[in-house]
Amino acid sequence: MRMMLRSGKSDVPGARRFATALAVATLAGTGLAACDGHAADTPRAQAAGQRAERTGIDWGTCPEPAEGTIRDPRLTCGMLKVPLNYGDPNGTKIEVAVSRLATAAPGKRHGVLLLNPGGPALGGLYMPATMAATLPKSVLDRYDLIGFDPRGVDHSTPQSCGLKDSSVSGLFPYPAADGSITRNVARARADARTCADTAGDRLRYFNTANTARDMDRVRQALGERKISYWGQSYGTYLGAVYRSLFPDRTDRVVLEGNVDPTNVWADEVADRWGKGMAERFPDAAAVAAAQDSTLGLGDSVKEVTQRYLALAERLDREPVPVSGMSLSLDGALLRTVTYGMLQHNNTLAPLARFWKAAADLADGGATDADQTVLEQTLADTPPTPGVPEDNQATMFLALLCGDAEWPHDTDGYATRTAADREAWPLTAGMPANIWACAFWKEPVEQPVTVTDEGPRNTLILQNRRDNATPWEGGTGLHKALGGSSAFVGVDNGGHYVYDEGSACADKATVGFLTTGRLPSRTVYCTDVKPNE
């Protein structure tokens, strides 16, 4: 999973990337009668699916995006109505916004490639434009690129809890400076109550399983027998769920920066986040150490790490106002920015400069250059017109809490947080701490069991040092999918694999999308070179 910065959109540059984010269900009286979440395969749901197939999508102008979003003039958009509750397909309807970037070579067209950027709760309506910028002509000729805002997100019947802190990063439960979680418990309880009072039971249907069912309605509306799919981060879990619900309706599937489907979501956060940070952080510390003469953060990875930890602890105790901005830099914000910028190799040097600016600010000696770095790194990005300010935070909670039940004992969270804080100092105990999910109403259905059923048609792309979705997420997904997947591991850091400097990984990806042929055995790529 990927973690959002303050505004929910990324302040981290990247040619094709949408945002940085965190990496997320018991049958309970909803009418979903099938086991393992396969309600979409019941006769009632199949009949509803046949009706959806006849509706199609009326393509037209896309809605106004947030300022700075790539807006390809070739992109067209439309709306598709889907059931709020697939257990009651004739009941309340919601809308899903869909986009299409059609192939320029219809004679070479293989099908559609559905895209999802992850999150949880990132909009994907404009993702075809960002992906088209890096995909070769051989792929673009073969597919219509299809984007969509998942249910409840951005233009797809956006949901809101009315949260006072509208940022996703504000939900992250960093303990107090002394390790206490008392304030975290109060915040988690308040957020859960606010969502229950404002959005009610309706929000419980905005889960990953229903999003996957929406994807199949998109397939039907496009008139396609099968869809190909490319999911990043949380989108790998969504893709695995779709593949398990509809194994005969997937064509070629690419999953990049992966979530272990057996670990969603409490275990994924608590068990993996600290380790992932510990494995990735030295890459940035080495960049800072190489610039010790100008940054003064230390001349070794060990020294830079020690100074970073000392700075974070100091800011926990004494947050410092940032001149010209309505915020203070505290330990949580320092760690949040670090987490986000570790996801890209091309932001390691800017991250080191941010650490230097943060240290100077804490010392009371920030220069004009430091101030510029702080303003650029911490600036909010423009909101999406017509979308509630807390939409992303709301849907983040809906998915994180609504896909699978979390532990409810507050004492247990305190114990686990203390242990995690000692084991993984870079994350200060946050991953094991309490979330609003501890006070959430039980999910409306059990999590979908991800299996190896279906053809061998899935390519798993995984970096060795991915702080957002660590290596074990990729190997765990590969194990769950068994013989139906092929695994490409890359000796690289960061959250993204394709177009990140490995010709080996890029060749495997493009080759699969153009020919449908997967590597016959596990591939480990060691040829990473910095992108120019």
Side-chain angles (χ1 to χ4, degrees):
M1 293 180 288
R2 295 177 290 171
M3 185 170 64
M4 306 298 166
L5 299 186
R6 291 179 56 240
S7 64
K9 298 292 192 292
S10 178
D11 301 313
V12 177
R16 70 183 176 107
R17 307 308 184 187
F18 263 54
T20 52
L22 168 74
V24 224
T26 58
L27 216 51
T30 64
L32 295 175
C35 296
D36 290 353
H38 289 263
D41 293 328
T42 63
R44 186 179 186 187
Q46 289 172 350
Q50 293 167 2
R51 288 193 296 275
E53 186 173 6
R54 292 195 294 269
T55 63
I57 297 173
D58 294 326
W59 299 106
T61 303
C62 294
E64 183 180 357
E67 183 180 341
T69 299
I70 296 175
R71 192 171 192 176
D72 193 312
R74 300 170 296 169
L75 198 67
T76 57
C77 294
M79 303 299 291
L80 180 68
K81 290 188 181 296
V82 299
L84 170 67
N85 173 10
Y86 278 88
D88 182 16
N90 296 317
T92 301
K93 299 293 192 295
I94 58 175
E95 290 187 314
V96 173
V98 185
S99 64
R100 179 177 64 180
L101 186 61
T103 173
K108 298 181 179 179
R109 183 182 183 276
H110 173 77
V112 299
L113 180 60
L114 201 65
L115 307 168
N116 181 271
L122 284 177
L125 200 64
Y126 295 94
M127 191 177 176
T130 61
M131 292 297 290
T134 62
L135 291 171
K137 187 174 185 296
S138 60
V139 174
L140 296 176
D141 283 350
R142 284 171 169 78
Y143 296 94
D144 295 338
L145 302 185
I146 306 297
F148 70 106
D149 287 342
R151 61 166 50 206
V153 175
D154 280 0
H155 303 96
S156 294
T157 313
Q159 299 300 294
S160 171
C161 286
L163 298 169
K164 292 181 180 179
D165 184 346
S166 61
S167 68
V168 172
S169 61
L171 300 172
F172 288 76
Y174 282 98
D178 63 357
S180 168
I181 73 166
T182 301
R183 283 184 298 177
N184 303 127
V185 172
R187 169 69 188 274
R189 182 180 282 111
D191 284 345
R193 183 183 302 116
T194 296
C195 282
D197 291 347
T198 304
D201 278 354
R202 176 187 177 96
L203 196 61
R204 299 168 69 209
Y205 294 98
F206 290 84
N207 59 22
T208 296
N210 281 336
T211 303
R213 294 171 183 126
D214 294 344
M215 286 169 51
D216 203 57
R217 291 299 180 92
V218 171
R219 176 195 63 79
Q220 294 163 23
L222 293 172
E224 300 289 332
R225 188 173 66 87
K226 294 183 177 183
I227 58 170
S228 294
Y229 174 83
W230 189 324
Q232 301 167 350
S233 193
Y234 159 80
T236 65
Y237 178 58
L238 175 60
V241 168
Y242 178 82
R243 192 186 182 287
S244 296
L245 287 175
F246 308 103
D248 59 338
R249 300 171 200 173
T250 57
D251 187 4
R252 301 169 186 176
V253 179
V254 177
L255 304 178
E256 176 187 20
N258 298 274
V259 172
D260 184 343
T262 67
N263 257 20
V264 293
W265 285 114
D267 290 340
E268 179 73 14
V269 176
D271 295 347
R272 302 266 168 86
W273 195 333
K275 184 175 185 292
M277 281 290 289
E279 292 174 340
R280 172 59 166 162
F281 189 89
D283 291 345
V287 170
Q291 303 176 65
D292 183 49
S293 60
T294 56
L295 298 180
L297 296 173
D299 62 2
S300 68
V301 168
K302 181 178 180 180
E303 186 175 4
V304 171
T305 303
Q306 290 173 339
R307 291 193 180 185
Y308 173 84
L309 290 171
L311 175 62
E313 292 171 5
R314 178 180 176 185
L315 291 172
D316 281 338
R317 298 188 302 270
E318 302 173 4
V320 184
V322 180
S323 177
M325 306 184 76
S326 58
L327 60 82
S328 291
L329 179 60
D330 59 10
L333 184 53
L334 177 75
R335 297 182 185 98
T336 296
V337 172
T338 297
Y339 179 90
M341 296 182 77
L342 285 174
Q343 294 178 28
H344 305 259
N345 285 331
N346 64 350
T347 52
L348 297 185
L351 175 57
R353 292 194 291 272
F354 169 70
W355 290 343
K356 190 257 187 191
D360 289 349
L361 181 69
D363 289 338
T367 65
D368 289 344
D370 290 332
Q371 183 65 26
T372 298
V373 169
L374 292 168
E375 289 176 355
Q376 290 176 343
T377 306
L378 300 175
D380 268 329
T381 52
T384 302
V387 176
E389 190 174 356
D390 73 329
N391 171 243
Q392 202 162 43
T394 294
M395 284 305 303
F396 181 89
L397 287 178
L399 291 163
L400 201 69
C401 306
D403 278 348
E405 193 164 8
W406 287 57
H408 301 288
D409 61 314
T410 56
D411 290 342
Y413 282 103
T415 300
R416 289 187 292 272
T417 298
D420 193 71
R421 188 176 174 87
E422 182 175 354
W424 309 110
L426 286 167
T427 48
M430 184 277 292
N433 203 352
I434 195 165
W435 299 68
C437 306
F439 304 102
W440 212 260
K441 199 169 183 179
E442 73 276 4
V444 296
E445 58 179 303
Q446 295 176 344
V448 174
T449 300
V450 171
T451 72
D452 61 358
E453 182 181 354
R456 187 173 187 267
N457 67 352
T458 301
L459 181 67
I460 296 175
L461 303 174
Q462 182 65 47
N463 279 338
R464 189 63 186 87
R465 300 181 308 284
D466 179 346
N467 62 297
T469 51
W471 179 261
E472 290 80 6
T475 57
L477 177 58
H478 184 43
K479 181 178 179 181
L481 292 179
S484 63
S485 65
F487 186 88
V488 174
V490 183
D491 185 17
N492 199 6
H495 193 33
Y496 303 98
V497 179
Y498 176 76
D499 194 41
E500 291 294 332
S502 171
C504 163
D506 292 353
K507 181 180 179 180
T509 305
V510 171
F512 173 53
L513 288 174
T514 53
T515 69
R517 293 192 293 270
L518 287 170
S520 59
R521 62 186 66 183
T522 293
V523 176
Y524 191 64
C525 301
T526 59
D527 64 337
V528 175
K529 296 180 180 178
N531 282 341
E532 300 297 331

